[in-house]
Amino acid sequence: MSPSSPEPTSAISRIAELPAVAATAVAIAHERAVESARGDRLFADPLAAGFLAAATPPGATAPLPLGEQVPLMHGYVALRTRCFDDELLAAARGTGVRQLVLLAAGLDTRAFRLAWPRGTRLFELDVPTLLAVKEPLLRAAGAVAACDRTTLATDLAGTGWPAALTAAGFDASVPTAWLAEGLLMYLAPDENDRLLETVGALSAPGSVLLAEHVPAAGTRPPESDADGHVLDAGGASWRSTLDDPLAWLDAHGWAAEAIDARALATAVDRPLPAVLDRAAVGDACAWLLRARRRAVS
């Protein structure tokens, strides 16, 4: 990726102007770049370093990774990424889901770095300002998707995106794997309810929903005062919490379960991040969630 080429230069000039919530995507890409550089990496994301470089002014040093700025988060993004990688691939390979929707995709690169089965269609939804930054950088890097990738510039807090998604080729009659990663806590409770109702209406039986959320106690976990808001990056404060996500998902027609983060960490030979460790943070423990759409009786 050459900073002198027109498209990346334009994108670099805009990346610092992203709204605070969209700008958290840069912090997550930074974590993926750090993980990708490890010899024992949980995944390889060769595009993440380019996103980080584009977000770092010439001559400046990139800020510390999120996990070093907020100790409770150390290792969290890498484990969460691997968790949802595995879950999405399991849906595509194991249950034959060939349609995936990444809600608030940010600088996600799963369309490029994962080995998708033939016929997989992947939709990335996010705000226009972020896609205006991301797409030129991908083109400059020569990135080639490993699936049929469609981007949709939209506001998930609004009401127009389902029609736009359908117009882009989404088929509500077949099972879909949905990913809400780093999203729900940035929406207000009523917006989350509306989002889940909409996703449910678009989901055929057998569809899968993967998500994360945080409990009320997670807004100020133990020993985090010095860090401020745990996931606050550049002023992007949480707007909602959820103390019983399984009941919430059940009420919206999803059979849900909490993913066993400890078992996941053990399986990949990594320490359990404190933010996922109930023994460390008690009721402030974050949720990783897996849900399947129930058939309508």
Side-chain angles (χ1 to χ4, degrees), residues 230-245:
V230 172
L231 288 177
D232 185 358
S237 298
W238 291 343
R239 299 178 62 208
S240 68
T241 59
L242 200 59
D243 286 334
D244 192 346

Side-chain angles (χ1 to χ4, degrees), residues 15 18-33 45 47-53 55 63 66 77 80-81 103-109 124-127 129-131 133-134 137 181-183 186 231-234 236:
I15 204 165
L18 288 173
V21 171
T24 62
V26 176
I28 302 306
H30 192 174
E31 289 285 310
R32 295 202 308 270
D45 185 352
L47 295 167
F51 291 142
L52 179 61
L66 182 63
V77 171
R80 180 189 72 180
T81 300
L103 300 167
L107 297 175
D108 188 282
T109 60
E124 293 185 20
L125 280 57
D126 217 314
V127 293
T129 49
L130 192 142
L131 292 177
V133 167
K134 180 178 183 178
L137 293 173
E181 182 181 43
L183 169 63
Y186 293 117
L231 288 177
D232 185 358

Side-chain angles (χ1 to χ4, degrees), residues 28-273:
I28 302 306
H30 192 174
E31 289 285 310
R32 295 202 308 270
V34 169
E35 180 64 26
S36 297
R38 292 180 57 142
D40 63 343
R41 57 184 172 267
L42 300 182
F43 53 84
D45 185 352
L47 295 167
F51 291 142
L52 179 61
T56 306
T61 301
L64 290 173
L66 182 63
E68 293 187 32
Q69 296 183 53
V70 185
L72 289 175
M73 294 283 293
H74 186 71
Y76 173 71
V77 171
L79 192 66
R80 180 189 72 180
T81 300
R82 173 59 181 269
C83 172
F84 289 145
D85 282 358
D86 290 350
E87 292 287 337
L88 290 169
L89 287 173
R93 296 173 179 172
T95 60
V97 173
R98 292 291 184 271
Q99 183 169 258
L100 301 96
V101 181
L102 309 187
L103 300 167
L107 297 175
D108 188 282
T109 60
R110 289 184 173 94
F112 303 90
R113 63 180 179 79
L114 296 182
W116 298 106
R118 185 184 299 274
T120 298
R121 299 199 66 185
L122 186 148
F123 297 86
E124 293 185 20
L125 280 57
D126 217 314
V127 293
T129 49
L130 192 142
L131 292 177
V133 167
K134 180 178 183 178
E135 296 309 296
L137 293 173
L138 289 172
R139 287 193 292 268
V144 178
C147 59
D148 181 355
R149 174 179 180 261
T150 300
T151 61
L152 183 62
T154 190
D155 180 4
L156 290 169
T159 58
W161 66 268
L165 181 61
T166 301
F170 175 86
D171 184 355
S173 70
V174 301
T176 302
W178 301 85
L179 177 63
E181 182 181 43
L183 169 63
L184 301 181
M185 64 283 294
Y186 293 117
L187 297 177
D190 63 321
E191 292 171 338
N192 276 326
D193 284 332
R194 184 165 61 247
L195 177 69
L196 204 57
E197 289 170 6
T198 303
V199 167
L202 294 171
S203 296
S207 293
V208 175
L209 173 63
L210 303 164
E212 64 172 331
H213 213 325
V214 292
T219 60
R220 189 70 66 178
E223 302 179 5
S224 70
D225 286 352
D227 300 315
H229 202 295
V230 172
L231 288 177
D232 185 358
S237 298
W238 291 343
R239 299 178 62 208
S240 68
T241 59
L242 200 59
D243 286 334
D244 192 346
L246 304 187
W248 179 65
L249 288 164
D250 179 74
H252 285 278
W254 296 85
E257 60 183 329
I259 295 172
D260 188 338
R262 185 175 296 278
L264 175 64
T266 299
V268 297
D269 196 25
R270 288 291 178 88
L272 181 65

